[in-house]
Amino acid sequence: MAQALRPNTAGSLLATDDRPHPLQDTLMAVTLVLGAVAFITAMFHSLHLLSSWAGLVGIFTGAYGQWISETTRERFGLILGLGASAVGFFLGMAHGGLFGGLW
C-alpha cells in the first residue's frame, strides 16, 4: 500500500520533482521575457536593433537553460521563449540586423 501514499505525477505534462531550481527558473523567465520583447518589437521596422539583440540574447539564454534544465516544466517554457526569440531575431535581421543603420 505504499503506492497509495505517493502522488501520481506521471500523467502530468508539467510534472516537477518538488525541488527548487532557482537558476533554471530564472533562465526560463529571462528567456520568456526576451522572447516576448524580440517577437513584439520585430513587428516594427524601426526597432530592428532591439528585436535582433533581444532575440540573440534570448537564444543563448534559452540554449543554456535547455542544457541544464531538469524538469518538463522548465523545458516547456524554454522552448516557447526560444521560438519567440528566434522569430524576433530573424525578423530583426531581415529588417536591418544587429548594427544596421549605425555605420
Side-chain angles (χ1 to χ4, degrees), residues 53-88:
W53 280 106
L56 184 63
V57 173
I59 289 170
F60 283 123
T61 58
Y64 181 67
Q66 280 287 0
W67 187 45
I68 65 170
S69 66
E70 296 184 13
T71 64
T72 304
R73 179 184 58 85
E74 295 162 357
R75 293 183 187 114
F76 183 77
L78 285 165
I79 288 298
L80 289 177
L82 270 168
S85 294
V87 169

Side-chain angles (χ1 to χ4, degrees), residues 23-41:
L23 177 62
Q24 290 86 351
D25 291 341
T26 303
L27 286 171
M28 180 180 64
V30 168
T31 303
L32 284 169
V33 168
L34 287 171
V37 168
F39 185 78
I40 291 168
T41 58

Side-chain angles (χ1 to χ4, degrees), residues 2 4 43 58 76 83 103:
M43 304 305 163
F76 183 77
W103 289 329

